[in-house]
Amino acid sequence: IEHPALTLVMTTDEETGMNGARAVDPALLDADCLVNLDSEEEGVLLAGCAGGVRVDVCMSGNVLRMRGRRAVLKIEGLLGGHSGMEIVKERGNAVLIAGRILQALRDDGCVFGIAGASGGDADNAIPAATAVDLVFPADEENGIRRAQETIRCEAAAIRRELGRRDPDLTCALVRPGSSDPADGTEPVSDGVPVLDEDLAERTAAFLCTAPNGVQSMSADLPGLVETSLNLGVMRTELPDRAELCFGFALRSSRESARDALRRRLELLAGRFGAESTISGEYNGWAFDPDSRICGHFADTWERMNGSRPRIEAIHAGLECGLFRGLKPGLDCVSLGPDLEHVHTTKERMHIASAGRTWAFLLEALRTWDVKK
């Protein structure tokens, strides 16, 4: 097989955080160009991806004991989705909707305590459901009914705003452990631990002001998200110490934009008395319209197939971003055969497509001009 000098790098644990790529010794990357064989559609060349970082925001306070009637604010029915690929669809975020409703309850003068909150499964997934445990004072006449009306009005407004993007949102105040509506007959419970008033106020206000979703679009590729963030997880720690934690996934194909967004979130969290923890940082791969390796593979595809391939970038992570972080300026392209149901137990590859992709790769390597 005719080809230029090659270094082959094979990595493991891609699905669990690209751990193999993270562990690569930079000394192994002794070339100027990288061909990444890890894309999912024949005839598409990937020429850019997002980098990212996880930001955990935690705010703490004191625990109070509150007697009253318990109810659960349930937000369900949202589509959710991958925070990279689906963020541009502007679907509803159940955690942020919970914050908006909590603030609406406060604005309407409803008196309640927060006994717990949980929502979302991972920082890189748009949360489709959230539950907030509430306690209404026993001596507050019609407190739950008043809250139900506020929730009904606010939920109706949010459904209209989401429209067809996320049509099945439901928001309801229900009895703990059931889907039956809460009402004034909820049994009284003694000494329920709740967040103190200051922490409850800061929680609602932070959720109403936290940035989320698409922050900027690419100037080079129409329709491509360049920078975004997703509030994916909300968790509460009770009863000994009141603490709420929020997990954000930040993405950008430009490190400077990612870092500026991270700093913005840290500064905002600090204003609400919260602490931020950074983890899982990885570099992006900004689209380069003058990429030599991408241009060569595109020319080769056109010569073999009579048409130009699609050149795209994705708002998700690829090994190319990590490798470019190890070796700045590394010129990359990513390609592969047709795959289906990627990252599931039904994943499969089309054999004929793999054969054509192999022939394409060999021809591109055979005709690569090392001297250019």
Side-chain angles (χ1 to χ4, degrees), residues 35 51 71 92 102 109 111 115 148 153 171 221 259 284 310 340 350 365:
V35 181
L102 290 174
V111 180
Q148 284 177 323
C153 293
C171 303
L221 288 177
D259 293 343
R310 298 203 324 261
E340 294 181 359
H350 287 249
L365 293 176

Side-chain angles (χ1 to χ4, degrees), residues 24-357:
V24 166
D25 182 349
L28 296 175
L29 304 178
D30 57 354
D32 296 322
C33 298
L34 170 69
V35 181
N36 187 47
L37 301 177
D38 188 29
S39 294
E40 304 167 12
E41 188 175 356
E42 183 185 357
V44 176
L45 300 179
L46 292 183
C49 72
V53 66
R54 177 187 174 97
V55 180
D56 289 304
V57 174
C58 292
M59 53 180 66
S60 59
N62 297 315
V63 177
L64 301 179
R65 296 280 172 174
M66 188 174 181
R67 294 184 66 244
R69 297 186 297 275
R70 300 192 68 167
V72 179
L73 170 62
K74 281 194 173 182
I75 298 166
E76 298 175 313
L78 296 167
L79 292 170
H82 187 274
S83 70
M85 308 306 290
E86 271 83 45
I87 200 74
V88 72
K89 297 177 181 178
E90 297 184 311
R91 293 174 176 173
N93 183 305
V95 173
L96 293 174
I97 290 172
R100 177 169 166 176
I101 290 177
L102 290 174
Q103 188 61 51
L105 291 171
R106 296 181 65 87
D107 292 344
D108 286 352
C110 296
V111 180
F112 61 91
I114 299 176
S118 63
D121 298 313
D123 61 290
N124 63 355
I126 302 169
T130 297
V132 183
D133 296 329
L134 302 176
V135 180
F136 294 85
D139 57 356
E140 184 75 14
E141 290 290 335
N142 298 319
I144 291 181
R145 291 192 178 117
R146 182 179 180 182
Q148 284 177 323
E149 179 61 20
T150 298
I151 293 169
R152 186 190 66 79
C153 293
E154 195 68 22
I158 296 171
R159 274 192 293 270
R160 288 192 296 268
E161 294 165 16
L162 290 173
R164 295 180 180 179
R165 292 173 296 176
D166 223 331
D168 298 323
L169 167 68
T170 62
C171 303
L173 201 60
V174 301
R175 294 176 182 271
S178 79
S179 58
D180 296 332
D183 57 28
T185 64
E186 186 71 17
V188 173
S189 178
D190 292 330
V192 178
V194 299
L195 311 183
D196 67 45
E197 175 62 17
D198 174 67
L199 180 54
E201 180 182 9
R202 285 188 285 135
T203 296
F206 175 73
L207 289 174
C208 284
T209 55
N212 192 76
V214 176
Q215 302 297 297
S216 64
M217 303 294 291
S218 171
D220 297 311
L221 288 177
L224 174 68
V225 178
E226 182 172 273
T227 306
S228 75
L229 79 164
N230 176 66
L231 172 50
V233 177
M234 174 173 63
R235 292 287 182 269
T236 315
E237 292 294 334
L238 283 167
D240 297 327
R241 174 70 175 166
E243 184 175 75
L244 274 116
C245 292
F246 308 97
F248 290 82
L250 282 61
R251 300 178 188 270
S252 182
S253 55
R254 299 188 184 276
E255 277 72 51
S256 59
R258 179 201 64 194
D259 293 343
L261 181 57
R262 172 188 56 76
R263 187 61 179 144
R264 176 185 169 194
L265 182 58
E266 288 178 307
L267 289 170
L268 178 65
R271 290 292 183 178
F272 286 95
E275 295 184 357
S276 300
T277 304
I278 311 302
S279 63
E281 184 174 324
Y282 59 96
N283 285 16
W285 167 26
F287 174 74
D288 178 7
D290 299 318
S291 166
R292 181 186 171 213
I293 190 72
C294 184
H296 173 71
F297 271 76
D299 292 342
T300 303
W301 177 272
E302 185 174 18
R303 189 172 66 254
M304 294 177 67
N305 297 280
S307 61
R308 202 72 176 166
R310 298 203 324 261
I311 299 176
E312 300 179 353
I314 60 172
H315 193 57
L318 284 175
E319 290 87 345
C320 298
L322 291 171
F323 291 151
R324 281 172 60 89
L326 296 173
K327 185 171 183 178
L330 187 66
D331 194 8
C332 304
V333 68
S334 186
L335 59 105
D338 288 332
L339 307 179
E340 294 181 359
H341 310 297
V342 173
H343 292 188
T344 76
T345 55
K346 296 181 180 180
E347 180 171 339
R348 61 182 185 172
M349 177 174 65
H350 287 249
I351 296 173
S353 178
R356 292 190 297 268
T357 301

